[in-house]
């Protein structure tokens, strides 16, 4: 689960006395925030948004955030379905993303950024189990547990607070030494009462998460079941216990309380979606370092019947064969997949990528173009098509396609990275700097983004319409920068 225990311990520990030269913080000087207190009074939504962007900058620097459109779209879709089922989430912004690490964990960061590790997706035996963890994280956001955790740090700057949050949430997952170094660097002191605050937050997130599960149509028993299974695994393999257990200790009382809540709703069996199984197969295939290892794994599970979903297992096998350059074998498996589900996005993308690998570039584009004619707003297919255009040296076409996609997803860092590449390869210097600016802005680098827009305007022969758009964007970012400087970026 999330890194909130370590986070609250850190945030309530250190801060103003250490950074401003005051004496050591004493535990008894802190009072547990009243649950009715408004975090909005401490941190405005705008400040929280800035904090979230700064936090995500640290996340991207330290963790392997997946930019696979198929995987990203699944976790976004599942997260969005849970947000829609939570009345407390109305009007809040959430960003769900996957991290390419075999860690069984997830975390909620400021600004509604929720990270899910690949290891958690693979550890979940049902979609409801995965949904249970994400619903729990959503509850941490809606109840503003993190914001209440930084309540005592309201006079710190956004960058400083983002560093503390990142050190707390990511410290042990990236490197225990690195996390401790960050803590020691600000001379943090421990606050014992934060343990109790954490327990209350976890209980509240469990309670709200189960209600969200039910409203979204998932099994309310999934949370308790997943907790109990991970707890048993931790007892058997204590030295390699899931990160989930180290960040969110699962007690028998917690499991019992989750069961009691589930009993109020009764069992609600829900079949797992095909996309859940396909996502797990895709993650498992890419988890193998060598293609032959993946081929051997999926070949064995198919022969022995050790799988939960036959289509997903064949999909994983086809992906492994493609990576191993066994194109004939991949085509045979793909034929079975398309015969069963001809319009499934994962299979369409695989068909296009296989055609591209076999040198049939026009066919690859045609496959995606035909599918997009039926689903013109499918950003996954559109992104894959743009990537293929870039691989084929058709940068101008890729740029046009990506600009259309960016209008659908204006906050997608991956798209602006591709836009920058496409503009560069097409020789459009102004657009290159313009899209680099947008990527930097989304990563929280406001001043470098402004510099890039200024460089863009200095390029020759910019069409009037493009120059006007760049100037308008530059004016907006400069105003934002002035506002930050006037406030010295406080969280209030």
């Amino acid at each position: 689960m999330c890194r909130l225990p370590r986070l609250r311990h850190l945030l309530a520990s250190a801060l103003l006395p250490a950074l401003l030269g005051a004496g050591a913080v004493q535990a008894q000087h802190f009072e547990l925030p009243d649950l009715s207190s408004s975090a909005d009074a401490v941190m405005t939504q705008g400040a929280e948004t800035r904090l979230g962007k700064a936090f995500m900058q640290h996340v991207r620097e330290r963790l392997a955030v997946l930019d696979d459109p198929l995987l990203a779209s699944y976790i976004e879709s599942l997260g969005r379905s849970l947000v829609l089922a939570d009345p407390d989430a109305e009007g809040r912004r959430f960003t769900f993303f996957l991290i390419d690490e075999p860690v069984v964990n997830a975390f909620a960061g400021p600004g509604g950024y929720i990270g899910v590790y690949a290891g958690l997706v693979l550890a979940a035996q049902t979609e409801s189990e995965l949904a249970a963890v994400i619903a729990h994280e959503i509850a941490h956001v809606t109840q503003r547990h993190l914001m209440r955790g930084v309540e005592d740090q309201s006079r710190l700057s956004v960058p400083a607070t983002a560093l503390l949050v990142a050190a707390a949430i990511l410290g042990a997952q990236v490197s225990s030494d690195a996390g401790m170094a960050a803590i020691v660097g600000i001379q943090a002191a421990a606050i014992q009462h934060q343990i109790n605050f954490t327990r209350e937050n976890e209980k509240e997130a469990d309670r709200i998460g189960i209600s969200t599960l039910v409203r979204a149509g998932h099994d309310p028993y999934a949370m308790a079941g997943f907790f109990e299974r991970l707890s048993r695994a931790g007892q058997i393999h204590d030295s390699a216990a899931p990160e989930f257990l180290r960040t969110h200790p699962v007690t028998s009382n917690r499991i019992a309380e989750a069961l009691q809540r589930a009993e109020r709703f009764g069992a609600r069996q829900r079949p797992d979606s095909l996309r859940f199984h396909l996502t797990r197969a895709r993650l498992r295939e890419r988890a193998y370092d060598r293609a032959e290892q993946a081929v051997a794994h999926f070949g064995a599970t198919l022969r022995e019947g050790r799988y939960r979903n036959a289509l997903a297992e064949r999909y994983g096998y086809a992906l492994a064969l493609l990576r191993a350059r066994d194109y004939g074998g991949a085509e045979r498996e793909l034929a079975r997949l398309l015969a069963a589900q001809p319009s499934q996005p994962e299979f369409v993308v695989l068909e296009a990528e296989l055609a591209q690998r076999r040198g049939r570039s026009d066919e690859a584009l045609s496959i995606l173009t035909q599918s997009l004619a039926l689903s013109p707003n499918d950003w996954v297919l559109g992104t894959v098509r743009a990537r293929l255009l870039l691989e084929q040296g058709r940068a101008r076409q890729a740029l046009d396609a990506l600009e259309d996609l960016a209008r659908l997803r204006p906050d997608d860092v991956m798209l602006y990275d591709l836009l920058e590449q496409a503009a560069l390869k097409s020789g459009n210097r102004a657009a290159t700097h313009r899209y680099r600016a947008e990527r930097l802005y989304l990563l929280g680098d406001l001043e470098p983004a402004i510099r890039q827009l200024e460089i863009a305007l200095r390029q020759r022969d910019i069409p009037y319409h493009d120059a006007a758009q760049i100037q308008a964007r530059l004016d907006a970012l400069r105003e934002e920068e002035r506002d930050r400087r006037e406030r010295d970026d406080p969280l209030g």
Side-chain angles (χ1 to χ4, degrees):
M1 293 288 289
C2 63
R3 285 276 172 186
L4 287 170
R6 183 181 292 252
L7 168 63
R8 296 188 196 96
H9 179 77
L10 169 62
L11 289 177
S13 301
L15 312 181
L16 293 177
L19 294 176
L20 302 180
V25 182
Q26 299 299 319
Q28 61 267 31
H29 291 171
F30 284 80
E31 296 296 331
L32 182 67
D34 185 82
L35 295 183
S36 63
S37 67
S38 173
D40 287 331
V42 176
M43 181 184 296
T44 65
Q45 289 291 337
E48 186 178 345
T49 298
R50 296 195 303 277
L51 177 59
K53 287 182 178 180
F55 167 76
M56 277 304 298
Q57 184 176 8
H58 291 293
V59 170
R60 289 183 176 276
E61 288 172 354
R62 291 161 175 79
L63 297 176
V65 176
L66 278 167
D67 63 355
D68 183 311
L70 286 166
L71 296 174
S73 69
Y74 170 73
I75 207 68
E76 285 181 16
S77 176
L78 179 59
R80 190 165 53 250
S81 70
L82 293 165
V83 167
L84 291 174
D86 184 350
D88 291 337
E90 185 176 357
R92 293 191 179 276
R93 183 171 182 171
F94 288 83
T95 302
F96 300 91
F97 57 96
L98 278 168
I99 300 164
D100 194 14
E101 296 288 347
V103 176
V104 182
N105 214 347
F107 59 81
Y113 288 94
I114 294 180
V116 180
Y117 284 85
L120 176 68
V121 181
L122 293 174
Q125 292 184 354
T126 67
E127 193 166 32
S128 288
E129 287 186 351
L130 177 59
V133 176
I134 297 175
H136 177 101
E137 299 302 334
I138 291 171
H140 277 310
V141 175
T142 61
Q143 303 311 303
R144 308 209 74 185
H145 292 155
L146 179 59
M147 294 304 100
R148 294 205 299 262
V150 301
E151 193 163 7
D152 292 322
Q153 327 318 329
S154 59
R155 286 186 287 167
L156 283 180
S157 68
V158 163
T161 304
L163 176 62
L164 292 175
V165 173
I169 292 180
L170 308 180
Q173 294 171 12
V174 179
S175 163
S176 296
D177 292 339
M180 287 305 298
I183 295 171
V184 171
I186 59 170
Q187 303 174 4
I191 303 295
Q192 180 61 45
H193 81 261
Q194 284 299 111
I195 294 175
N196 296 328
F197 186 32
T198 295
R199 288 173 182 163
E200 290 305 312
N201 286 350
E202 293 310 306
K203 286 181 181 180
E204 187 173 39
D206 286 351
R207 174 178 59 79
I208 294 173
I210 289 174
S211 296
T212 299
L213 274 183
V214 172
R215 284 191 289 267
H218 289 280
D219 180 9
Y221 285 93
M223 185 176 289
F226 197 28
F227 287 176
E228 187 171 14
R229 185 156 49 79
L230 289 179
S231 182
R232 287 199 305 268
Q235 292 169 4
I236 297 172
H237 306 288
D238 188 55
S239 61
E243 193 67 31
F244 175 95
L245 300 180
R246 290 195 284 269
T247 56
H248 283 23
V250 175
T251 64
S252 57
N253 285 341
R254 186 176 176 187
I255 294 172
E257 289 176 4
L259 283 171
Q260 289 174 359
R261 294 188 188 102
E263 286 172 359
R264 298 172 190 169
F265 299 102
R268 301 188 181 190
Q269 295 301 317
R270 168 175 169 152
D272 298 327
S273 71
L274 176 58
R275 289 209 69 196
F276 169 70
H277 291 293
L278 294 175
T279 296
R280 294 178 81 246
R282 191 173 181 88
L283 285 172
R284 192 173 299 284
E285 190 280 328
R286 62 182 292 141
Y288 286 98
D289 293 330
R290 300 197 306 274
E292 58 267 27
Q293 293 175 315
V295 170
H297 166 79
F298 286 102
T301 56
L302 284 168
R303 284 194 305 273
E304 298 165 11
R306 292 186 289 108
Y307 49 77
R308 291 179 176 273
N309 183 282
L311 274 181
E313 207 69 11
R314 291 203 174 278
Y315 174 61
Y317 190 37
L319 289 173
L321 291 168
L322 177 63
R323 180 150 64 112
R325 300 184 181 181
D326 182 352
Y327 299 141
E331 281 188 338
R332 287 191 294 273
E333 293 302 322
L334 176 61
R336 296 183 180 186
L337 298 173
L338 290 172
Q341 298 282 349
S343 61
Q344 185 67 33
E346 285 82 356
F347 303 162
V348 172
V349 168
L350 177 58
E351 184 183 16
E353 290 177 341
L354 184 54
Q356 176 90 339
R357 294 282 191 90
R358 305 212 75 167
R360 304 194 297 263
S361 57
D362 288 340
E363 179 185 339
L365 292 177
S366 177
I367 289 166
L368 293 168
T369 301
Q370 289 177 23
S371 293
L372 281 166
L374 299 175
S375 305
N377 291 331
D378 190 320
W379 71 270
V380 174
L381 296 178
T383 302
V384 174
R385 181 175 178 274
R387 282 180 169 174
L388 292 185
L389 285 167
L390 277 173
E391 288 180 21
Q392 295 172 13
R394 307 183 191 186
R396 181 65 254 181
Q397 289 177 261
L399 184 59
D400 291 340
L402 288 164
E403 286 175 337
D404 290 338
L405 288 171
R407 282 188 278 273
L408 293 174
R409 294 173 61 84
D411 298 323
D412 192 323
V413 174
M414 175 182 62
L415 283 181
Y416 282 107
D417 184 45
L418 290 172
L419 275 164
E420 182 184 343
Q421 294 178 43
L424 180 64
K425 291 181 179 179
S426 65
N428 190 331
R429 294 175 61 104
T432 300
H433 292 289
R434 175 184 182 182
Y435 294 128
R436 184 177 299 157
E438 294 298 343
R439 178 175 60 82
L440 289 168
Y441 176 76
L442 290 173
L443 291 173
D445 290 333
L446 178 57
E447 290 184 14
I450 290 173
R451 303 292 88 78
Q452 288 298 316
L453 289 176
E454 290 172 343
I455 295 171
L457 281 175
R458 290 200 292 268
Q459 304 306 307
R460 296 179 179 178
D461 302 324
I462 307 176
Y464 174 80
H465 179 70
D466 291 350
Q469 288 185 329
I470 295 171
Q471 184 64 61
R473 184 61 170 153
L474 178 58
D475 291 342
L477 295 195
R478 281 173 172 167
E479 183 177 356
E480 183 173 331
E481 184 184 36
R482 282 194 297 271
D483 289 344
R484 286 193 188 185
R485 287 179 175 175
E486 289 174 4
R487 291 187 303 265
D488 194 24
D489 225 3
L491 300 183

